[in-house]
PDB file of all heavy atoms in Angstrom:
ATOM      1  N   TYR A 392      -5.351 115.937 -74.848  1.00 78.00           N
ATOM      2  CA  TYR A 392      -6.338 115.480 -75.829  1.00 78.00           C
ATOM      3  C   TYR A 392      -6.626 113.999 -75.650  1.00 78.00           C
ATOM      4  O   TYR A 392      -5.755 113.252 -75.241  1.00 78.00           O
ATOM      5  CB  TYR A 392      -5.809 115.732 -77.249  1.00 78.00           C
ATOM      6  CG  TYR A 392      -6.123 117.104 -77.761  1.00 78.00           C
ATOM      7  CD1 TYR A 392      -5.123 117.983 -78.110  1.00 78.00           C
ATOM      8  CD2 TYR A 392      -7.463 117.519 -77.887  1.00 78.00           C
ATOM      9  CE1 TYR A 392      -5.417 119.241 -78.592  1.00 78.00           C
ATOM     10  CE2 TYR A 392      -7.761 118.781 -78.368  1.00 78.00           C
ATOM     11  CZ  TYR A 392      -6.735 119.632 -78.725  1.00 78.00           C
ATOM     12  OH  TYR A 392      -7.032 120.864 -79.194  1.00 78.00           O
TER      13      TYR A 392
ATOM     14  N   SER B  43     -10.931 103.736 -82.992  1.00 94.00           N
ATOM     15  CA  SER B  43     -10.124 104.070 -81.820  1.00 94.00           C
ATOM     16  C   SER B  43      -8.699 103.576 -82.020  1.00 94.00           C
ATOM     17  O   SER B  43      -8.491 102.460 -82.499  1.00 94.00           O
ATOM     18  CB  SER B  43     -10.752 103.418 -80.588  1.00 94.00           C
ATOM     19  OG  SER B  43      -9.991 103.746 -79.463  1.00 94.00           O
ATOM     20  N   GLY B  44      -7.734 104.416 -81.710  1.00 94.00           N
ATOM     21  CA  GLY B  44      -6.338 104.024 -81.863  1.00 94.00           C
ATOM     22  C   GLY B  44      -5.808 104.231 -83.257  1.00 94.00           C
ATOM     23  O   GLY B  44      -4.662 103.880 -83.553  1.00 94.00           O
ATOM     24  N   GLY B  46      -5.008 107.006 -84.634  1.00 95.00           N
ATOM     25  CA  GLY B  46      -3.996 108.072 -84.693  1.00 95.00           C
ATOM     26  C   GLY B  46      -4.558 109.471 -84.833  1.00 95.00           C
ATOM     27  O   GLY B  46      -3.800 110.425 -85.056  1.00 95.00           O
ATOM     28  N   LYS B  47      -5.857 109.629 -84.650  1.00 96.00           N
ATOM     29  CA  LYS B  47      -6.485 110.942 -84.841  1.00 96.00           C
ATOM     30  C   LYS B  47      -5.924 111.976 -83.861  1.00 96.00           C
ATOM     31  O   LYS B  47      -5.509 113.072 -84.249  1.00 96.00           O
ATOM     32  CB  LYS B  47      -8.014 110.832 -84.634  1.00 96.00           C
ATOM     33  CG  LYS B  47      -8.678 109.773 -85.495  1.00 96.00           C
ATOM     34  CD  LYS B  47     -10.171 109.720 -85.255  1.00 96.00           C
ATOM     35  CE  LYS B  47     -10.561 109.257 -83.855  1.00 96.00           C
ATOM     36  NZ  LYS B  47     -10.242 107.850 -83.573  1.00 96.00           N
ATOM     37  N   THR B  48      -5.917 111.592 -82.582  1.00 94.00           N
ATOM     38  CA  THR B  48      -5.448 112.534 -81.569  1.00 94.00           C
ATOM     39  C   THR B  48      -3.978 112.867 -81.775  1.00 94.00           C
ATOM     40  O   THR B  48      -3.550 114.019 -81.638  1.00 94.00           O
ATOM     41  CB  THR B  48      -5.685 111.949 -80.166  1.00 94.00           C
ATOM     42  OG1 THR B  48      -7.087 111.774 -79.982  1.00 94.00           O
ATOM     43  CG2 THR B  48      -5.141 112.867 -79.090  1.00 94.00           C
ATOM     44  N   THR B  49      -3.205 111.868 -82.126  1.00 95.00           N
ATOM     45  CA  THR B  49      -1.779 112.095 -82.350  1.00 95.00           C
ATOM     46  C   THR B  49      -1.573 113.119 -83.470  1.00 95.00           C
ATOM     47  O   THR B  49      -0.793 114.074 -83.327  1.00 95.00           O
ATOM     48  CB  THR B  49      -1.087 110.771 -82.707  1.00 95.00           C
ATOM     49  OG1 THR B  49      -1.415 109.799 -81.715  1.00 95.00           O
ATOM     50  CG2 THR B  49       0.412 110.949 -82.769  1.00 95.00           C
ATOM     51  N   GLN B  92     -11.488 117.226 -74.757  1.00 85.00           N
ATOM     52  CA  GLN B  92     -12.606 116.389 -74.354  1.00 85.00           C
ATOM     53  C   GLN B  92     -13.030 116.739 -72.923  1.00 85.00           C
ATOM     54  O   GLN B  92     -14.206 116.837 -72.616  1.00 85.00           O
ATOM     55  CB  GLN B  92     -12.205 114.919 -74.444  1.00 85.00           C
ATOM     56  CG  GLN B  92     -13.386 114.001 -74.417  1.00 85.00           C
ATOM     57  CD  GLN B  92     -12.998 112.594 -74.840  1.00 85.00           C
ATOM     58  OE1 GLN B  92     -11.903 112.377 -75.359  1.00 85.00           O
ATOM     59  NE2 GLN B  92     -13.883 111.657 -74.616  1.00 85.00           N
ATOM     60  N   ASP B 169     -11.180 117.891 -79.968  1.00 93.00           N
ATOM     61  CA  ASP B 169     -11.184 116.431 -79.871  1.00 93.00           C
ATOM     62  C   ASP B 169     -12.435 116.021 -79.113  1.00 93.00           C
ATOM     63  O   ASP B 169     -12.570 116.323 -77.931  1.00 93.00           O
ATOM     64  CB  ASP B 169      -9.927 115.948 -79.133  1.00 93.00           C
ATOM     65  CG  ASP B 169      -9.589 114.504 -79.477  1.00 93.00           C
ATOM     66  OD1 ASP B 169     -10.461 113.807 -80.026  1.00 93.00           O
ATOM     67  OD2 ASP B 169      -8.446 114.091 -79.200  1.00 93.00           O
ATOM     68  N   GLU B 170     -13.355 115.386 -79.800  1.00 91.00           N
ATOM     69  CA  GLU B 170     -14.616 114.970 -79.214  1.00 91.00           C
ATOM     70  C   GLU B 170     -15.300 116.114 -78.450  1.00 91.00           C
ATOM     71  O   GLU B 170     -15.632 115.977 -77.285  1.00 91.00           O
ATOM     72  CB  GLU B 170     -14.387 113.792 -78.244  1.00 91.00           C
ATOM     73  CG  GLU B 170     -13.785 112.570 -78.889  1.00 91.00           C
ATOM     74  CD  GLU B 170     -14.783 111.792 -79.758  1.00 91.00           C
ATOM     75  OE1 GLU B 170     -15.961 112.226 -79.868  1.00 91.00           O
ATOM     76  OE2 GLU B 170     -14.379 110.780 -80.347  1.00 91.00           O
ATOM     77  N   VAL B 201     -12.130 116.176 -84.257  1.00 95.00           N
ATOM     78  CA  VAL B 201     -12.104 114.717 -84.156  1.00 95.00           C
ATOM     79  C   VAL B 201     -13.409 114.297 -83.509  1.00 95.00           C
ATOM     80  O   VAL B 201     -13.778 114.816 -82.451  1.00 95.00           O
ATOM     81  CB  VAL B 201     -10.925 114.247 -83.287  1.00 95.00           C
ATOM     82  CG1 VAL B 201     -11.056 112.756 -82.983  1.00 95.00           C
ATOM     83  CG2 VAL B 201      -9.607 114.539 -83.982  1.00 95.00           C
ATOM     84  N   HIS B 203     -16.653 110.980 -83.215  1.00 90.00           N
ATOM     85  CA  HIS B 203     -17.372 109.777 -83.623  1.00 90.00           C
ATOM     86  C   HIS B 203     -18.853 110.087 -83.805  1.00 90.00           C
ATOM     87  O   HIS B 203     -19.617 109.237 -84.195  1.00 90.00           O
ATOM     88  CB  HIS B 203     -17.251 108.682 -82.551  1.00 90.00           C
ATOM     89  CG  HIS B 203     -15.869 108.149 -82.406  1.00 90.00           C
ATOM     90  ND1 HIS B 203     -15.077 108.422 -81.319  1.00 90.00           N
ATOM     91  CD2 HIS B 203     -15.117 107.365 -83.227  1.00 90.00           C
ATOM     92  CE1 HIS B 203     -13.916 107.832 -81.452  1.00 90.00           C
ATOM     93  NE2 HIS B 203     -13.906 107.182 -82.620  1.00 90.00           N
TER      94      HIS B 203
HETATM   95 MG1   MG C   2      -8.176 110.267 -79.439  1.00 67.24          MG
END
Side-chain angles (χ1 to χ4, degrees):
Chain A
Y392 273 119
Chain B
S43 181
K47 306 180 294 293
T48 297
T49 308
Q92 196 166 348
D169 203 344
E170 300 286 1
V201 170
H203 293 108

